Amino acid sequence: MNITFRQLRVFTEVAKQGSMIQAAAALHLTPPAVSMQIKEVETQVGLSLFDRHGRQVSLSTAGEYFLVHAKRLLANLKEADDAMARFKRLEHGLLTIGIVSTAK
């Protein structure tokens, strides 16, 4: 599979909203862009991840399983991003050292 993190974000938002139109609004994308991303993910997975009911969508059984993994991958990405942000702050920080002399 060759799925991007952006596609995973789109997938999780559609699952959350239950609508591609509402997900598009939340992600500041157009509905056709969201639909294309979902279609690409489903092509890569080889399964239908959503059951479509007019303009509403719900997760299929395969989609429910995929959502668990998608959330885990996105959480790992956020954790790595946070770690790198902490590392950047560490390099640019200020270290002050004080010494108390007790020798005469």
Side-chain angles (χ1 to χ4, degrees), residues 85-103:
R86 285 191 303 273
F87 187 70
K88 287 177 188 175
R89 285 191 297 271
L90 183 67
E91 287 183 332
H92 295 37
L94 175 65
L95 177 63
T96 304
I97 300 175
I99 299 176
V100 176
S101 175
T102 58

Side-chain angles (χ1 to χ4, degrees), residues 20-68:
M20 292 197 196
I21 294 171
Q22 291 174 352
L27 294 168
H28 306 289
L29 297 171
T30 64
V34 170
S35 182
M36 286 175 30
Q37 294 295 318
I38 294 301
K39 184 174 178 143
E40 180 61 29
V41 170
E42 289 179 328
T43 300
Q44 290 290 322
V45 173
L47 296 166
S48 178
L49 301 176
F50 291 99
D51 295 323
R52 282 129 174 109
H53 315 284
R55 292 180 180 250
Q56 298 297 313
V57 294
S58 61
L59 286 170
S60 66
T61 303
E64 290 177 17
Y65 281 99
F66 190 75
L67 181 62
V68 171

